[in-house]
Amino acid sequence: MINRKLGEIKKYSQESLIREILPVLDSLKIGQKQIPEFKLIKKQLECVLEKYNLKKIKAKDEKFNPEFHEAIEMVESDKESGIIIEEIQKGYMLGDKILRASKVKVSA
């Protein structure tokens, strides 16, 4: 019991720091469109965060799942109803815990 609790504490001990880093990652994604060097910096930061068990949530072309996705808009599309057609903000998980749901547009 104690070992399991310690394992959980260790596993999620970086959660608050990673939550603060996610907006920086978002800014680098936006900035890479204007400053190509940001793409390399963003990739380096993603690699570091992956070492701490941060995972991207799949969104585009996936079936909408309210556990992982937050729908911000329903739009007409030629895709099947309930399919994510655009990801507005990337979602992330730390291990099996959702840190931030993906903000998405879903086909109506």
Side-chain angles (χ1 to χ4, degrees), residues 31-70:
Q32 76 183 10
K33 295 174 185 171
Q34 293 150 3
I35 303 171
E37 291 80 11
F38 279 11
K39 186 174 186 174
L40 177 60
I41 296 167
K42 178 181 149 286
K43 183 64 179 166
Q44 289 173 324
L45 184 55
E46 287 174 334
C47 287
V48 169
L49 293 171
E50 284 173 11
K51 289 179 185 176
Y52 289 90
N53 209 19
L54 186 74
K55 301 173 195 159
K56 296 176 183 176
I57 295 174
K58 292 181 183 176
K60 189 162 170 108
D61 297 324
E62 297 286 322
K63 184 84 172 152
F64 176 77
N65 181 337
E67 288 185 50
F68 301 105
H69 310 118
E70 178 184 338

Side-chain angles (χ1 to χ4, degrees), residues 21-31 89-90 92 100:
I21 292 173
L22 290 181
V24 176
L25 197 56
D26 294 338
S27 296
L28 287 171
K29 181 180 178 184
I30 293 166
Q89 185 179 52
K90 176 64 70 189
Y92 295 94
R100 181 174 81 186

Side-chain angles (χ1 to χ4, degrees), residues 55-101:
K55 301 173 195 159
K56 296 176 183 176
I57 295 174
K58 292 181 183 176
K60 189 162 170 108
D61 297 324
E62 297 286 322
K63 184 84 172 152
F64 176 77
N65 181 337
E67 288 185 50
F68 301 105
H69 310 118
E70 178 184 338
I72 61 167
E73 187 176 354
M74 298 288 287
V75 295
E76 291 299 319
S77 170
D78 58 350
K79 295 192 184 247
E80 175 188 338
S81 179
I83 299 296
I84 297 168
I85 59 169
E86 185 179 348
E87 182 179 55
I88 305 303
Q89 185 179 52
K90 176 64 70 189
Y92 295 94
M93 296 183 70
L94 183 59
D96 56 355
K97 182 178 183 180
I98 296 172
L99 285 184
R100 181 174 81 186

